[in-house]
C-alpha cells in the first residue's frame, strides 16, 4: 500500500546501553526511532533536521501544518532552541520537569519551521522516563516526536502497539514496557504570568494553579473556536468501531448500558432475537468498564461476552487507571473486531479532564452525562 515497506523494523527490548547508542546514532543520522515516554510512545526524529522530520509526517500520514513537540533531557538543553525563557515558563519547568508538561515558547533560528508547522513558537517537553532521557542525552539533539500511531488512530502505550502501526516504516522501536500514564502531555502556552491549556493532559489545571495564578483552557476545547494547538482540530484517537460512553454514578451507568445494549440488539433485527443468541455476544460489543459497573452487569448482559471484549480498568471514578488503560483497550477492541464499543467515563475533573477529552474525540462526541 505504501513506499515504507522496505525498512526492516527492529524492536530493542530492555535496551542495553549499546542498544541506546545504536538508536541515538540512528536519530543523529536522520532515521526514525520510536521512543518510550511516561505518557505514550513517540515517533522520534532529529528535531534540527527538516528532512528527518519529513519522514515523521510520511510515516504517520500526518497533516503538515500539525507541529511537533521537541523532547529534551533537561531545562538547560532548551536554551539554544528559544529566544528567551520567561520567568513563568522557567518556574513551570522547575516544578513539573521532567514530566508530562509541554510548553510552547518563541523559537530561535536554530529550530526549523518543519518542527513547528510554520509557527513562531516551538513546543518543548522533558519526559519523566529514564531510558528516554538517556537516549535524548546520547543523541545530543532535540528529538521531535509525535505519538507513534498512524494519524487519527489511538496512541500507542506499548512497543507492540507501535509495531502494529509502524512496522516497515521505521528503523527501531526502543521497548521499555508499557507507559505509566497512558494519555499525552498537557500542552500550554505561557503569556507573562498567565497560562493557557491548549491540550489537557497528565499535568492538571489544579497542579498548574499551584505555580501560576491565572490558568485557563483554550476556548476551542469547549467550543468550535479555532484551536491554538493545530493538532486539536484533527480527528483523533478513533477506534475502528463506533463508541458510546456514559458518565454518572455506578448504578445509573449500569442501567443506561443495559438499556443501550437492548436497543442495539433490537436494531440488529430478527436473527438475533429469534434464536436467543446472547444479545451482547451477537452485537459483538467491546466494554470498557469500572469494576462496580462490570459486577452489576456480569450476571445479565455480560454473561456470554468473550473475555477479549471486556476491559475492566479499576474502581468507579478512577481517572488514573482509566487514563492508563484507555488506548490499549481501544486497540484490543480493534483486534477483537468488535462492531460497537461501550465505555464508562469519569467526571471531567483533575486527570479526568484529559481522559474525557480523549474519550470525546474517540467517540465523536457520543458521551451521555447521566
Ligand atoms: O505526551 C506527549 O505529548 C506525546 C509524547 C510522545 O511526548 N507526544 C504527543 O505529540 O502527543 P503529538 O504530536 O501527538 O501532539 C502534539 C500536540 C498537537 O496537538 C500539536 O498541535 C500541539 O501539540 N503543538 C505542537 N507544537 C505546537 C505549537 N508550537 N503551538 C501550539 N500547539 C502545538
Ligand atoms: Mg498524537
Amino acid at each position: 500500500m505504501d513506499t515504507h515497506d522496505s525498512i526492516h523494523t527492529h524492536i530493542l527490548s530492555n535496551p542495553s546501553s549499546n542498544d541506546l547508542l545504536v538508536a541515538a546514532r540512528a536519530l543523529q543520522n536522520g532515521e526514525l526511532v520510536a521512543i518510550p515516554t511516561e505518557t505514550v510512545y513517540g515517533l522520534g526524529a532529529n528535531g534540527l533536521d527538516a528532512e528527518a522530520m519529513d519522514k515523521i509526517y510520511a510515516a504517520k500520514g500526518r497533516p503538515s501544518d500539525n507541529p511537533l513537540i521537541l523532547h529534551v533531557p533537561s531545562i538547560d538543553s532548551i536554551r539554544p532552541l528559544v529566544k528567551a525563557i520567561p520567568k513563568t515558563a522557567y518556574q513551570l519547568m522547575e516544578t513539573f520537569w521532567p514530566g508530562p508538561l509541554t510548553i510552547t515558547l518563541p523559537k530561535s533560528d536554530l529550530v526549523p519551521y518543519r518542527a513547528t508547522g510554520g509557527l513562531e513558537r516551538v513546543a518543548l517537553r522533558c519526559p519523566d522516563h529514564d531510558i528516554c532521557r538517556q537516549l535524548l542525552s546520547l543523541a545530543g539533539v532535540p528529538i521531535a516526536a509525535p505519538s507513534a500511531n498512524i494519524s487519527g488512530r489511538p496512541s500507542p502505550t506499548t512497543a507492540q502497539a507501535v509495531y502494529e502501526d509502524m512496522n516497515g516504516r521505521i528503523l527501531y522501536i526502543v521497548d521499555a514496557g508499557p507507559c505509566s500514564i497512558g494519555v499525552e502531555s498537557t500542552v500550554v502556552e505561557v503569556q507573562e504570568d498567565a497560562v493557557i491549556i491548549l491540550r489537557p493532559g497528565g499535568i492538571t489545571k489544579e497542579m498548574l494553579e499551584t505555580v501560576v495564578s491565572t490558568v485557563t483552557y483554550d476556548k476551542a476545547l469547549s467550543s468550535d473556536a479555532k484551536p491554538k494547538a493545530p493538532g486539536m482540530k484533527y480527528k483523533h484517537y478513533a477506534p475502528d468501531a463506533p463508541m458510546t460512553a456514559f458518565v454518572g454514578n455506578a448504578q445509573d451507568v449500569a442501567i443506561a448500558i443495559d438499556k443501550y445494549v437492548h436497543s442495539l440488539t433490537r436494531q440488529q433485527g430478527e436473527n438475533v432475537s429469534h434464536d436467543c443468541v446472547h444479545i451482547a455476544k451477537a452485537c459483538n460489543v467491546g466494554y470498557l468498564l469500572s469494576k462496580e459497573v462490570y459486577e452489576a452487569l456480569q450476571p445479565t448482559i455480560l454473561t456470554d461476552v468473550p473475555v477479549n471484549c471486556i476491559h475492566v480498568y479499576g474502581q468507579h471514578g478512577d481517572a488514573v487507571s482509566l487514563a492508563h488503560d484507555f488506548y490499549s483497550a481501544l486497540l484490543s477492541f480493534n483486534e477483537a473486531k468488535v462492531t460497537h464499543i461501550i465505555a464508562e467515563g469519569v467526571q471531567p475533573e483533575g486527570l479526568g479532564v484529559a481522559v474525557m477529552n480523549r474519550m470525546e474525540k474517540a467517540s465523536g462526541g457520543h458521551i451521555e452525562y447521566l
Side-chain angles (χ1 to χ4, degrees), residues 185-236:
S185 63
T186 306
V187 180
V188 299
E189 180 177 311
V190 179
Q191 292 179 336
E192 292 181 11
D193 51 6
V195 162
I196 306 171
I197 299 175
L198 310 187
R199 177 178 73 179
I203 300 292
T204 64
K205 181 169 185 276
E206 293 77 9
M207 290 162 83
L208 294 167
E209 280 164 349
T210 62
V211 179
V212 187
S213 53
T214 313
V215 182
T216 53
Y217 287 109
D218 183 18
K219 284 191 202 67
L221 289 170
S222 54
S223 72
D224 288 338
K226 181 169 175 262
K228 278 170 167 278
M232 297 301 280
K233 70 175 180 264
Y234 293 110
K235 186 175 173 228
H236 257 91

Side-chain angles (χ1 to χ4, degrees), residues 110-134:
L110 190 62
V111 176
Y113 281 109
R114 203 75 199 91
T116 66
L119 300 174
E120 292 304 328
R121 281 176 173 260
V122 59
L124 300 156
R125 152 159 148 77
C126 176
D128 184 15
H129 191 290
D130 279 350
I131 290 176
C132 181
R133 295 227 316 287
Q134 280 176 48

Side-chain angles (χ1 to χ4, degrees), residues 300-325:
T300 55
I301 59 168
L302 298 181
T303 332
D304 287 337
V305 178
V307 282
N308 62 342
C309 294
I310 301 181
H311 191 109
V312 178
Y313 57 80
Q315 302 289 327
H316 176 75
D318 181 353
V320 173
S321 299
L322 180 55
H324 183 267
D325 290 9

Side-chain angles (χ1 to χ4, degrees), residues 73 95 137 187 216 244:
T95 312
S137 298
V187 180
T216 53
T244 304

